[in-house]
Amino acid sequence: MSPTRGGLPPQFWSQPKVALALSACDMPVILGEVQRAMGWTQKQLADATGYSQSWISKVLRGHQPLTLEQVRRVSERLGIPLHLLRFSVYEENGSIEDEGPDEALAELARQPPSGSPHKERTR
């Protein structure tokens, strides 16, 4: 997959492996897929993120957990759409634009599975 204008094409984010990793905020998989798609070495990925090659290596092996701030910073630097990671995006005026699942999906998640012997939860 060839990147456009130095970034990844929009369809990259909907590939099954990438979409699954995004939904779980699985940064090692996301970074590995970005590295693969861009044809980068770990050093090039490190340069693009602003972190060291050894830090990137630890992240890719799952040995370096990321803070929320690191996820945001890496995402911004690599062009990973934050809303696909289910992050809220701060607007310039300081308000929060919720980019999480829509209300219909949230309501569906609150309902018991079909045929479930459990009563519906009340609030």
Side-chain angles (χ1 to χ4, degrees):
M1 174 173 303
S2 64
T4 58
R5 294 177 306 197
L8 292 162
Q11 65 269 26
F12 172 80
W13 307 110
S14 61
Q15 293 178 13
K17 186 173 183 178
V18 175
L20 183 61
L22 286 167
S23 70
C25 200
D26 188 343
M27 292 307 288
V29 171
I30 295 167
L31 292 178
E33 289 300 303
V34 168
Q35 178 187 6
R36 183 190 58 73
M38 297 296 286
W40 286 344
T41 63
Q42 279 188 5
K43 174 71 170 118
Q44 290 170 312
L45 181 61
D47 290 345
T49 62
Y51 288 96
S52 70
Q53 185 274 326
S54 64
W55 186 85
I56 288 293
S57 176
K58 289 176 188 173
V59 170
L60 291 173
R61 289 181 287 134
H63 296 153
Q64 176 67 49
L66 279 68
T67 65
L68 291 176
E69 185 55 38
Q70 288 170 325
V71 171
R72 285 183 191 273
R73 191 175 306 134
V74 166
S75 296
E76 287 171 1
R77 290 178 180 166
L78 294 179
I80 300 168
L82 284 173
H83 69 279
L84 296 178
L85 291 167
R86 306 294 190 243
F87 273 64
S88 292
V89 178
Y90 287 91
E91 305 232 349
E92 284 185 28
N93 66 7
S95 66
I96 298 174
E97 177 186 332
D98 185 10
E99 294 288 346
D102 63 25
E103 282 301 308
L105 186 56
E107 179 60 32
L108 183 61
R110 285 191 286 268
Q111 299 198 6
S114 298
S116 172
H118 301 288
K119 291 182 182 177
E120 189 173 276
R121 288 185 264 171
T122 58
R123 295 182 187 184

